[in-house]
Amino acid sequence: MAATLFQGLGVVTPSFSSSHSNKFMLSSLSERKDGIFVVRSDADARILKTGARKHELLVTNAVATKGASSAASTSKSGSGHELLLFEALREGLEEEMERDPCVCVMGEDVGHYGGSYKVTKGLAPKFGDLRVLDTPIAENAFMGMGIGAAMTGLRPVVEGMNMGFLLLAFNQISNNCGMLHYTSGGQFKIPIVIRGPGGVGRQLGAEHSQRLESYFQSIPGIQMVACSTPYNAKGLMKAAIRSENPVILFEHVLLYNLKERIPDEEYVLSLEEAEMVRPGEHVTILTYSRMRYHVMQAAKTLVNKGYDPEVIDIRSLKPFDLHTIGNSVKKTHRVLIVEECMRTGGIGASLTAAITENFHDHLDAPIVCLSSQDVPTPYAGTLEEWAVVQPAQIVTAVEQLCQ
């Protein structure tokens, strides 16, 4: 089976509760496909108790601070069930559709076909064609329909078959999705989730290897998160659906077949918190999505060389969790940013600016940012590898930073 995968802020108070609390019977998902390629993720499984943290209004300077630490417990063995990342996304979506009848799905082939990566498989027979709506190949149209549905009180989850296709809906996302709450004087909320696969795959060519984080980060009113493990994929999906803000959930096309044990108990993650993947003392490495695994591969080499890197999956691309990031910078005094996004105007550039503005006095060396080359993603496999950051480059960068 060929695996093809993957800041203006909202001005509404984020909420982990919907206006509807109807409970439905939850049937467990037991779908598996023979011959599927399975990879273990490196993440710890944790349960973040809903309501353990009070959420503040989103700030307007493209950063987030943490008011209180979240209560979390660890569940690594014994309890829980194993899911692939795309199955974890489906489970989170299905649970929210059962919990709240206002949650609906729309997009190309999301219905009886089950989505191009099977995230919505089985939902159309269960919830019906009106809640799992197949749309024409008209991104601008069905994105506008989703935004209009959100304005009337529904909670649509709009799938872009490929994130690159959402450029056709950029006007709707920018001028309507992100701004209507403000331009209506607070009369309308836009609780919509925009999700789909993106990132550099395996020889998918330039148009199907888009990294659009940098395109959307400048739109006021939009939150952005990127999942990287089955655990955080489900938790972020549920949080995004319950949020009163429009949320873009980035999924990497090469991570859908990651496998991990996740808790049986319900959990919802914060949309504004980074994840400490590996504590360390010598250098802070900030990353997200697929690059998390390149960084962790490089970390093994670095440890063997005597370095102790601290690895943080920022997860929240907008706003940044500057509480977690700042505490790490104050400890290590060195920062390396690793991203798959383009170098010019990318997430790394915004993160560099935010760290420089807030923690300049704590830095003992200039911030280093490793990004993809500013070129269309080549089709040839060898050239594709050259265009994206590789683990060896991360090792070299840390060695130079720590000299």
Side-chain angles (χ1 to χ4, degrees):
M1 176 179 176
T4 53
L5 327 180
F6 158 155
Q7 263 178 86
L9 300 178
V11 289
V12 186
T13 307
S15 172
F16 276 166
S17 62
S18 171
S19 57
H20 296 268
S21 58
N22 302 50
K23 300 295 182 181
F24 295 82
M25 292 298 293
L26 178 61
S27 62
S28 61
L29 291 175
S30 58
E31 297 173 303
R32 290 291 188 276
K33 298 200 74 172
D34 294 336
I36 204 163
F37 179 59
V38 175
V39 184
R40 294 271 178 186
S41 77
D42 64 300
D44 292 334
R46 298 178 299 158
I47 304 172
L48 179 62
K49 296 179 181 178
T50 306
R53 170 184 176 187
K54 183 181 290 185
H55 291 270
E56 305 293 337
L57 277 170
L58 293 183
V59 294
T60 57
N61 61 347
V63 300
T65 57
K66 195 178 299 182
S69 59
S70 301
S73 59
T74 302
S75 173
K76 299 192 69 172
S77 61
S79 62
H81 55 290
E82 287 191 335
L83 290 178
L84 303 174
L85 190 144
F86 77 89
E87 294 173 317
L89 288 166
R90 181 199 303 153
E91 185 171 274
L93 177 56
E94 183 176 23
E95 288 179 6
E96 291 305 301
M97 293 184 74
E98 290 180 322
R99 187 188 67 86
D100 186 349
C102 288
V103 179
C104 56
V105 180
M106 59 184 69
E108 299 155 347
D109 289 335
V110 298
H112 294 277
Y113 183 70
S116 55
Y117 296 97
K118 303 307 177 187
V119 172
T120 57
K121 183 179 180 181
L123 299 185
K126 182 173 184 177
F127 296 103
D129 292 342
L130 289 180
R131 292 188 67 190
V132 186
L133 181 63
D134 277 322
T135 65
I137 304 174
E139 286 80 5
N140 196 48
F142 68 71
M143 185 63 66
M145 179 171 63
I147 294 168
M151 293 172 66
T152 64
L154 297 180
R155 292 181 175 271
V157 179
V158 180
E159 175 180 315
M161 183 181 289
N162 182 283
M163 276 295 186
F165 302 161
L166 293 184
L167 291 177
L168 297 167
F170 194 86
N171 175 64
Q172 292 284 5
I173 297 171
S174 176
N175 286 327
N176 294 326
C177 183
M179 298 186 186
L180 272 171
H181 179 72
Y182 176 80
T183 56
S184 70
Q187 296 180 75
F188 293 109
K189 297 177 181 179
I190 317 295
I192 188 174
V193 179
I194 302 168
R195 54 153 297 269
V200 178
R202 289 195 175 94
Q203 295 184 261
L204 298 180
E207 293 180 355
H208 289 73
S209 301
Q210 296 275 28
R211 292 135 289 168
L212 299 184
E213 304 96 301
S214 61
Y215 288 64
F216 293 116
Q217 69 171 325
S218 61
I219 302 175
I222 298 286
Q223 282 189 272
M224 303 195 309
V225 291
C227 61
S228 55
T229 69
Y231 174 79
N232 66 39
K234 178 181 177 180
L236 292 174
M237 170 71 86
K238 292 171 72 70
I241 292 173
R242 299 187 189 191
S243 174
E244 299 296 336
N245 296 307
V247 179
I248 300 178
L249 173 59
F250 291 96
E251 304 157 14
H252 199 289
V253 72
L254 290 181
L255 299 185
Y256 278 131
N257 290 329
L258 284 173
K259 191 173 187 179
E260 181 183 24
R261 182 177 295 276
I262 67 173
D264 292 327
E265 300 86 351
E266 183 182 31
Y267 65 94
V268 181
L269 298 180
S270 170
L271 294 174
E272 303 164 39
E273 286 187 357
E275 176 188 350
M276 179 66 67
V277 181
R278 183 191 187 279
E281 299 290 337
H282 293 162
V283 60
T284 297
I285 305 181
L286 305 174
T287 189
Y288 64 93
S289 191
R290 176 198 177 193
M291 287 295 110
R292 167 178 176 150
Y293 298 96
H294 281 209
V295 168
M296 291 307 294
Q297 184 177 339
K300 295 178 182 178
T301 302
L302 289 168
V303 170
N304 291 335
K305 289 176 174 283
Y307 297 98
D308 186 17
E310 179 154 291
V311 179
I312 296 176
D313 184 342
I314 63 173
R315 285 199 315 210
S316 176
L317 308 185
K318 178 184 174 183
F320 295 133
D321 178 5
L322 286 190
H323 177 86
T324 300
I325 294 170
N327 285 341
S328 180
V329 172
K330 293 173 184 177
K331 177 174 62 174
T332 67
H333 309 294
R334 292 174 176 82
V335 177
L336 171 64
I337 300 169
V338 181
E339 62 176 345
E340 194 178 82
C341 198
M342 298 296 187
R343 182 170 185 80
T344 301
I347 296 296
S350 297
L351 193 52
T352 298
I355 294 171
T356 302
E357 290 172 1
N358 291 275
F359 309 109
H360 180 267
D361 291 344
H362 298 279
L363 293 172
D364 288 345
I367 299 170
V368 175
C369 183
L370 298 179
S371 310
S372 293
Q373 301 295 317
D374 282 337
V375 297
T377 304
Y379 173 76
T382 52
L383 294 179
E384 185 181 62
E385 287 188 8
W386 275 99
V388 179
V389 179
Q390 299 299 323
Q393 295 172 266
I394 301 170
V395 173
T396 300
V398 170
E399 290 176 332
Q400 294 174 348
L401 257 178
C402 295
Q403 284 179 353

